[in-house]
Amino acid sequence: MKHMLAILALATPMTPAIAEEEAERGLNLMEEGAQLLLRGLMQEMEPAIDELQGFAEDLGPAMDQFSREMGPILADILKRVDDISNYQPPEFLPNGDIIMRRKKDAPLFDPDADDSIEL
């Protein structure tokens, strides 16, 4: 019995060090697991990412043309819209027209009013 108490007394100071090593090893295993999971996800996503990149490259010239032609028009529209949440979703008519109706409960808005602040 005395031998057991002596062994226990000698082992007790080492317990925090052993616990710290075990905790550190557990964290390392968690990190490795997370890295393996992320690597697996990246491998699974790689074909979709490659396809999306090809689509973006094909779409690039059309988007450049669209921004050159429609950019100034869209900027003018944005000047005339106070807050997009004050509008219903756009309606696309059979003849190609697009209508953005203002919600009935939206506050009054004058698009031609000068809202600039003079300093």
Side-chain angles (χ1 to χ4, degrees), residues 37-86:
L37 176 67
L38 291 175
R39 274 192 213 119
L41 287 173
M42 288 299 292
Q43 287 174 350
E44 290 289 322
M45 293 296 298
E46 192 170 353
I49 291 171
D50 291 344
E51 187 177 321
L52 183 62
Q53 185 176 4
F55 177 71
E57 288 171 359
D58 293 344
L59 193 62
M63 288 302 295
D64 287 341
Q65 180 182 356
F66 178 81
S67 65
R68 276 194 312 275
E69 293 176 8
M70 295 299 293
I73 296 166
L74 291 173
D76 185 49
I77 289 171
L78 289 175
K79 288 179 190 173
R80 297 177 172 274
V81 173
D82 57 337
D83 183 354
I84 198 72
S85 66
N86 289 329

Side-chain angles (χ1 to χ4, degrees), residues 88-106:
Q88 296 175 357
E91 294 176 43
F92 298 90
L93 302 180
N95 67 357
D97 288 351
I98 302 170
I99 298 175
M100 285 180 51
R101 296 185 195 276
R102 194 162 174 83
K103 291 180 181 175
K104 291 178 182 166
D105 61 345

Side-chain angles (χ1 to χ4, degrees), residues 18-36:
I18 293 170
E20 187 175 316
E21 283 180 23
E22 288 296 316
E24 191 173 302
R25 190 175 73 137
L27 285 176
N28 287 340
L29 289 174
M30 295 276 289
E31 288 173 0
E32 283 182 45
Q35 287 176 350
L36 287 172

